[in-house]
Structure formats: structure tokens, C-alpha cells
Amino acid sequence: MIYVKPQPEPSDFDKKVRVKGIAHLKAKGIALNKALPSGTEVTPLWRESLTDLHVAYGGICAYLGMFFERVAGSSVDYFIAKSVSAKDIYEWSNYRLACSTLNSRKREYNTVLDPFYLAPDLFRLQLSTGHIYPNPSLSPHAMRLVELTIETLSLDDALCRDTRARCYQEYVKYKLDNDYFRSKYPFIWLEAYRQGLLLT
């Protein structure tokens, strides 16, 4: 994971999502300043913003730090879960672009660091294997927060490891353009840069 710069909401987001969403909640008698009651179904107006979200964040999954095509499963992760805050269900600032796999892993857990407020140099990557791990120089508290994020999202499982390792291997094998590589795999690029392993 790396820091993700929050992008401004689209000009039509308020009309398409927020206004209709809040009206829907009020019509159902849901208090905006409280958690969404368990089992309550709400209209999925956030789907209206999926294309905008994918474009705004360059198709980069906020948790993997890698590009994914929309056809592979583009989804909205509510960083503040619906079960915690009803008023944030239809808020652009609460949306994180995530591939379907990572979104399903994140769910409603609050043990994941927010990419929008991520300090630099928390995560390290072994490029040859794709192994992700906390920066060894972190304080014990920061170390545990990073470990919990990795554990909750299963960022170091075989699937994630293999994908990261393959992306770097293809970059080297095919001598991919550095700007292209950075635009598609910013976390891997950053680690290759830090380790002095970018192609020149």
C-alpha cells in the first residue's frame, strides 16, 4: 500500500448520488448521524459513481496499489462502513476505489490503515517474491498497525505475492517504460525506485 491522494468529487456527484441518497435515507426514517440499522437495505446509488471513481484514481486499487480493469470487478469501498455511519454512505470522500477481491476482504473491518492518510515508507516489498511486510524501523505501535492491515486484507497471500512478483518480472523482461510502469503499478515502482532496481 501507498498513499493515495484524494481526488475532488465529480461536478454531478451531488445531484446523482448525495442528494438522492440522503432523500432516500430520510424517507426510510434513517437518522443520518447514527449507524445504519442492521439488515437495512439502501439504494445503491454509489454505483452511479463507479466510472468516475475508476477514472479519478487511474484504475489503481487503493489497497493493492495496482491497476485493474473495470471488467475485472470495480467496486466502491466505504472506508467508514455503512454499519458505522449512515451519513457517509453517499459521500465521495468516503469512497475508496478497490478491486472486488480487496473490497470483499476489507468489508467492515476497522483494522485497515486509510490510504488517504497513509504515512510514507510504512510498507516494504521484496520484488523477487512479491512479499509485503512492515518497514522494520517502525515503532512497535506503527508496526502493529501495518501488520493488522496486511493480515486483514490478506495482502501477503500467495495470490497477491505472485501478482506483484510477476508484474516486476515482466517490467524487467520486457523493459517496460518507467512512466508506464509507475502509472500502472505505483507501489511496485516505488519499491523498485527505493531499492535502486529501476531500469535505466
Side-chain angles (χ1 to χ4, degrees), residues 81-102:
K82 290 183 286 185
S83 61
V84 174
S85 173
K87 69 181 177 65
D88 290 304
I89 295 173
Y90 302 108
E91 284 298 328
W92 174 266
S93 61
N94 190 40
Y95 296 170
R96 308 292 180 268
L97 177 66
C99 64
S100 295
T101 298
L102 269 291

PDB file of all heavy atoms in Angstrom, residues 81-102:
ATOM      1  N   ALA A  81     -17.580   2.275   7.317  1.00  0.00           N
ATOM      2  CA  ALA A  81     -18.586   1.310   6.893  1.00  0.00           C
ATOM      3  C   ALA A  81     -20.015   1.823   7.075  1.00  0.00           C
ATOM      4  O   ALA A  81     -20.285   2.665   7.930  1.00  0.00           O
ATOM      5  CB  ALA A  81     -18.410   0.007   7.672  1.00  0.00           C
ATOM      6  N   LYS A  82     -20.923   1.276   6.247  1.00  0.00           N
ATOM      7  CA  LYS A  82     -22.335   1.646   6.348  1.00  0.00           C
ATOM      8  C   LYS A  82     -22.881   1.366   7.740  1.00  0.00           C
ATOM      9  O   LYS A  82     -23.735   2.095   8.238  1.00  0.00           O
ATOM     10  CB  LYS A  82     -23.147   0.872   5.308  1.00  0.00           C
ATOM     11  CG  LYS A  82     -22.898   1.299   3.881  1.00  0.00           C
ATOM     12  CD  LYS A  82     -23.777   0.543   2.913  1.00  0.00           C
ATOM     13  CE  LYS A  82     -23.318  -0.889   2.726  1.00  0.00           C
ATOM     14  NZ  LYS A  82     -24.085  -1.600   1.691  1.00  0.00           N
ATOM     15  N   SER A  83     -22.404   0.292   8.350  1.00  0.00           N
ATOM     16  CA  SER A  83     -22.893  -0.082   9.673  1.00  0.00           C
ATOM     17  C   SER A  83     -22.432   0.885  10.762  1.00  0.00           C
ATOM     18  O   SER A  83     -22.921   0.830  11.892  1.00  0.00           O
ATOM     19  CB  SER A  83     -22.423  -1.497  10.028  1.00  0.00           C
ATOM     20  OG  SER A  83     -21.008  -1.549  10.044  1.00  0.00           O
ATOM     21  N   VAL A  84     -21.491   1.755  10.421  1.00  0.00           N
ATOM     22  CA  VAL A  84     -20.958   2.712  11.389  1.00  0.00           C
ATOM     23  C   VAL A  84     -21.587   4.085  11.235  1.00  0.00           C
ATOM     24  O   VAL A  84     -21.884   4.769  12.215  1.00  0.00           O
ATOM     25  CB  VAL A  84     -19.420   2.823  11.252  1.00  0.00           C
ATOM     26  CG1 VAL A  84     -18.864   3.925  12.141  1.00  0.00           C
ATOM     27  CG2 VAL A  84     -18.764   1.485  11.571  1.00  0.00           C
ATOM     28  N   SER A  85     -21.804   4.508   9.996  1.00  0.00           N
ATOM     29  CA  SER A  85     -22.281   5.870   9.760  1.00  0.00           C
ATOM     30  C   SER A  85     -23.164   5.935   8.524  1.00  0.00           C
ATOM     31  O   SER A  85     -22.680   5.767   7.399  1.00  0.00           O
ATOM     32  CB  SER A  85     -21.099   6.823   9.596  1.00  0.00           C
ATOM     33  OG  SER A  85     -21.518   8.105   9.210  1.00  0.00           O
ATOM     34  N   ALA A  86     -24.446   6.211   8.720  1.00  0.00           N
ATOM     35  CA  ALA A  86     -25.374   6.309   7.594  1.00  0.00           C
ATOM     36  C   ALA A  86     -25.057   7.511   6.708  1.00  0.00           C
ATOM     37  O   ALA A  86     -25.172   7.440   5.486  1.00  0.00           O
ATOM     38  CB  ALA A  86     -26.805   6.401   8.113  1.00  0.00           C
ATOM     39  N   LYS A  87     -24.641   8.615   7.308  1.00  0.00           N
ATOM     40  CA  LYS A  87     -24.442   9.849   6.535  1.00  0.00           C
ATOM     41  C   LYS A  87     -23.282   9.740   5.548  1.00  0.00           C
ATOM     42  O   LYS A  87     -23.194  10.529   4.607  1.00  0.00           O
ATOM     43  CB  LYS A  87     -24.212  11.038   7.470  1.00  0.00           C
ATOM     44  CG  LYS A  87     -22.897  11.030   8.225  1.00  0.00           C
ATOM     45  CD  LYS A  87     -22.781  12.246   9.133  1.00  0.00           C
ATOM     46  CE  LYS A  87     -21.504  12.232   9.947  1.00  0.00           C
ATOM     47  NZ  LYS A  87     -20.294  12.330   9.142  1.00  0.00           N
ATOM     48  N   ASP A  88     -22.396   8.765   5.740  1.00  0.00           N
ATOM     49  CA  ASP A  88     -21.242   8.636   4.851  1.00  0.00           C
ATOM     50  C   ASP A  88     -21.465   7.678   3.684  1.00  0.00           C
ATOM     51  O   ASP A  88     -20.578   7.492   2.850  1.00  0.00           O
ATOM     52  CB  ASP A  88     -20.016   8.174   5.650  1.00  0.00           C
ATOM     53  CG  ASP A  88     -19.507   9.268   6.579  1.00  0.00           C
ATOM     54  OD1 ASP A  88     -19.215  10.365   6.080  1.00  0.00           O
ATOM     55  OD2 ASP A  88     -19.423   9.024   7.792  1.00  0.00           O
ATOM     56  N   ILE A  89     -22.651   7.087   3.606  1.00  0.00           N
ATOM     57  CA  ILE A  89     -22.943   6.120   2.543  1.00  0.00           C
ATOM     58  C   ILE A  89     -22.873   6.778   1.170  1.00  0.00           C
ATOM     59  O   ILE A  89     -22.403   6.182   0.200  1.00  0.00           O
ATOM     60  CB  ILE A  89     -24.330   5.475   2.752  1.00  0.00           C
ATOM     61  CG1 ILE A  89     -24.328   4.641   4.037  1.00  0.00           C
ATOM     62  CG2 ILE A  89     -24.714   4.607   1.560  1.00  0.00           C
ATOM     63  CD1 ILE A  89     -25.697   4.114   4.415  1.00  0.00           C
ATOM     64  N   TYR A  90     -23.329   8.017   1.095  1.00  0.00           N
ATOM     65  CA  TYR A  90     -23.390   8.700  -0.193  1.00  0.00           C
ATOM     66  C   TYR A  90     -22.425   9.877  -0.240  1.00  0.00           C
ATOM     67  O   TYR A  90     -22.729  10.929  -0.806  1.00  0.00           O
ATOM     68  CB  TYR A  90     -24.827   9.158  -0.456  1.00  0.00           C
ATOM     69  CG  TYR A  90     -25.823   8.006  -0.439  1.00  0.00           C
ATOM     70  CD1 TYR A  90     -26.724   7.854   0.611  1.00  0.00           C
ATOM     71  CD2 TYR A  90     -25.839   7.062  -1.464  1.00  0.00           C
ATOM     72  CE1 TYR A  90     -27.620   6.799   0.632  1.00  0.00           C
ATOM     73  CE2 TYR A  90     -26.728   6.002  -1.448  1.00  0.00           C
ATOM     74  CZ  TYR A  90     -27.622   5.870  -0.392  1.00  0.00           C
ATOM     75  OH  TYR A  90     -28.511   4.814  -0.380  1.00  0.00           O
ATOM     76  N   GLU A  91     -21.248   9.688   0.334  1.00  0.00           N
ATOM     77  CA  GLU A  91     -20.223  10.736   0.348  1.00  0.00           C
ATOM     78  C   GLU A  91     -18.997  10.307  -0.459  1.00  0.00           C
ATOM     79  O   GLU A  91     -18.376   9.287  -0.155  1.00  0.00           O
ATOM     80  CB  GLU A  91     -19.804  11.071   1.781  1.00  0.00           C
ATOM     81  CG  GLU A  91     -20.801  11.906   2.541  1.00  0.00           C
ATOM     82  CD  GLU A  91     -21.043  13.270   1.919  1.00  0.00           C
ATOM     83  OE1 GLU A  91     -20.106  13.853   1.312  1.00  0.00           O
ATOM     84  OE2 GLU A  91     -22.173  13.771   2.023  1.00  0.00           O
ATOM     85  N   TRP A  92     -18.651  11.070  -1.469  1.00  0.00           N
ATOM     86  CA  TRP A  92     -17.483  10.789  -2.314  1.00  0.00           C
ATOM     87  C   TRP A  92     -16.211  10.625  -1.487  1.00  0.00           C
ATOM     88  O   TRP A  92     -15.384   9.751  -1.756  1.00  0.00           O
ATOM     89  CB  TRP A  92     -17.321  11.904  -3.337  1.00  0.00           C
ATOM     90  CG  TRP A  92     -16.095  11.848  -4.190  1.00  0.00           C
ATOM     91  CD1 TRP A  92     -14.904  12.479  -3.968  1.00  0.00           C
ATOM     92  CD2 TRP A  92     -15.929  11.107  -5.413  1.00  0.00           C
ATOM     93  NE1 TRP A  92     -14.012  12.194  -4.972  1.00  0.00           N
ATOM     94  CE2 TRP A  92     -14.612  11.349  -5.870  1.00  0.00           C
ATOM     95  CE3 TRP A  92     -16.764  10.282  -6.166  1.00  0.00           C
ATOM     96  CZ2 TRP A  92     -14.122  10.802  -7.043  1.00  0.00           C
ATOM     97  CZ3 TRP A  92     -16.266   9.721  -7.339  1.00  0.00           C
ATOM     98  CH2 TRP A  92     -14.965   9.979  -7.763  1.00  0.00           C
ATOM     99  N   SER A  93     -16.037  11.465  -0.475  1.00  0.00           N
ATOM    100  CA  SER A  93     -14.814  11.444   0.333  1.00  0.00           C
ATOM    101  C   SER A  93     -14.664  10.154   1.128  1.00  0.00           C
ATOM    102  O   SER A  93     -13.574   9.847   1.611  1.00  0.00           O
ATOM    103  CB  SER A  93     -14.779  12.637   1.298  1.00  0.00           C
ATOM    104  OG  SER A  93     -15.874  12.585   2.199  1.00  0.00           O
ATOM    105  N   ASN A  94     -15.722   9.383   1.248  1.00  0.00           N
ATOM    106  CA  ASN A  94     -15.662   8.110   1.975  1.00  0.00           C
ATOM    107  C   ASN A  94     -15.412   6.928   1.047  1.00  0.00           C
ATOM    108  O   ASN A  94     -15.254   5.801   1.505  1.00  0.00           O
ATOM    109  CB  ASN A  94     -16.979   7.878   2.748  1.00  0.00           C
ATOM    110  CG  ASN A  94     -16.890   6.711   3.711  1.00  0.00           C
ATOM    111  OD1 ASN A  94     -15.869   6.509   4.373  1.00  0.00           O
ATOM    112  ND2 ASN A  94     -17.952   5.933   3.790  1.00  0.00           N
ATOM    113  N   TYR A  95     -15.353   7.176  -0.246  1.00  0.00           N
ATOM    114  CA  TYR A  95     -15.174   6.097  -1.213  1.00  0.00           C
ATOM    115  C   TYR A  95     -13.695   5.839  -1.498  1.00  0.00           C
ATOM    116  O   TYR A  95     -12.923   6.767  -1.705  1.00  0.00           O
ATOM    117  CB  TYR A  95     -15.869   6.422  -2.532  1.00  0.00           C
ATOM    118  CG  TYR A  95     -17.377   6.548  -2.447  1.00  0.00           C
ATOM    119  CD1 TYR A  95     -18.095   7.037  -3.527  1.00  0.00           C
ATOM    120  CD2 TYR A  95     -18.082   6.188  -1.302  1.00  0.00           C
ATOM    121  CE1 TYR A  95     -19.478   7.164  -3.477  1.00  0.00           C
ATOM    122  CE2 TYR A  95     -19.453   6.308  -1.232  1.00  0.00           C
ATOM    123  CZ  TYR A  95     -20.152   6.799  -2.326  1.00  0.00           C
ATOM    124  OH  TYR A  95     -21.514   6.928  -2.271  1.00  0.00           O
ATOM    125  N   ARG A  96     -13.340   4.571  -1.524  1.00  0.00           N
ATOM    126  CA  ARG A  96     -12.009   4.148  -1.939  1.00  0.00           C
ATOM    127  C   ARG A  96     -12.195   3.190  -3.110  1.00  0.00           C
ATOM    128  O   ARG A  96     -12.970   2.226  -3.003  1.00  0.00           O
ATOM    129  CB  ARG A  96     -11.253   3.443  -0.800  1.00  0.00           C
ATOM    130  CG  ARG A  96     -11.185   4.213   0.517  1.00  0.00           C
ATOM    131  CD  ARG A  96     -10.329   5.463   0.422  1.00  0.00           C
ATOM    132  NE  ARG A  96     -10.286   6.164   1.692  1.00  0.00           N
ATOM    133  CZ  ARG A  96     -11.131   7.136   2.044  1.00  0.00           C
ATOM    134  NH1 ARG A  96     -12.102   7.535   1.200  1.00  0.00           N
ATOM    135  NH2 ARG A  96     -11.025   7.738   3.215  1.00  0.00           N
ATOM    136  N   LEU A  97     -11.508   3.438  -4.202  1.00  0.00           N
ATOM    137  CA  LEU A  97     -11.588   2.531  -5.340  1.00  0.00           C
ATOM    138  C   LEU A  97     -10.888   1.233  -4.974  1.00  0.00           C
ATOM    139  O   LEU A  97      -9.736   1.242  -4.529  1.00  0.00           O
ATOM    140  CB  LEU A  97     -10.914   3.148  -6.567  1.00  0.00           C
ATOM    141  CG  LEU A  97     -10.883   2.247  -7.810  1.00  0.00           C
ATOM    142  CD1 LEU A  97     -12.291   2.005  -8.342  1.00  0.00           C
ATOM    143  CD2 LEU A  97     -10.001   2.852  -8.902  1.00  0.00           C
ATOM    144  N   ALA A  98     -11.584   0.128  -5.143  1.00  0.00           N
ATOM    145  CA  ALA A  98     -10.995  -1.165  -4.793  1.00  0.00           C
ATOM    146  C   ALA A  98     -11.442  -2.226  -5.784  1.00  0.00           C
ATOM    147  O   ALA A  98     -12.581  -2.217  -6.248  1.00  0.00           O
ATOM    148  CB  ALA A  98     -11.407  -1.575  -3.374  1.00  0.00           C
ATOM    149  N   CYS A  99     -10.541  -3.133  -6.099  1.00  0.00           N
ATOM    150  CA  CYS A  99     -10.942  -4.288  -6.895  1.00  0.00           C
ATOM    151  C   CYS A  99     -11.885  -5.131  -6.030  1.00  0.00           C
ATOM    152  O   CYS A  99     -11.879  -5.023  -4.796  1.00  0.00           O
ATOM    153  CB  CYS A  99      -9.724  -5.088  -7.341  1.00  0.00           C
ATOM    154  SG  CYS A  99      -8.775  -5.830  -5.996  1.00  0.00           S
ATOM    155  N   SER A 100     -12.689  -5.947  -6.653  1.00  0.00           N
ATOM    156  CA  SER A 100     -13.698  -6.715  -5.921  1.00  0.00           C
ATOM    157  C   SER A 100     -13.096  -7.608  -4.840  1.00  0.00           C
ATOM    158  O   SER A 100     -13.643  -7.737  -3.745  1.00  0.00           O
ATOM    159  CB  SER A 100     -14.521  -7.566  -6.902  1.00  0.00           C
ATOM    160  OG  SER A 100     -15.255  -6.740  -7.775  1.00  0.00           O
ATOM    161  N   THR A 101     -11.941  -8.211  -5.138  1.00  0.00           N
ATOM    162  CA  THR A 101     -11.312  -9.108  -4.174  1.00  0.00           C
ATOM    163  C   THR A 101     -10.933  -8.384  -2.889  1.00  0.00           C
ATOM    164  O   THR A 101     -11.245  -8.836  -1.787  1.00  0.00           O
ATOM    165  CB  THR A 101     -10.059  -9.771  -4.777  1.00  0.00           C
ATOM    166  OG1 THR A 101     -10.445 -10.560  -5.908  1.00  0.00           O
ATOM    167  CG2 THR A 101      -9.372 -10.677  -3.757  1.00  0.00           C
ATOM    168  N   LEU A 102     -10.275  -7.225  -3.027  1.00  0.00           N
ATOM    169  CA  LEU A 102      -9.835  -6.496  -1.837  1.00  0.00           C
ATOM    170  C   LEU A 102     -11.009  -5.848  -1.116  1.00  0.00           C
ATOM    171  O   LEU A 102     -11.010  -5.754   0.118  1.00  0.00           O
ATOM    172  CB  LEU A 102      -8.781  -5.463  -2.202  1.00  0.00           C
ATOM    173  CG  LEU A 102      -7.318  -5.927  -2.140  1.00  0.00           C
ATOM    174  CD1 LEU A 102      -6.897  -6.182  -0.700  1.00  0.00           C
ATOM    175  CD2 LEU A 102      -7.078  -7.181  -2.974  1.00  0.00           C
TER     176      LEU A 102
END
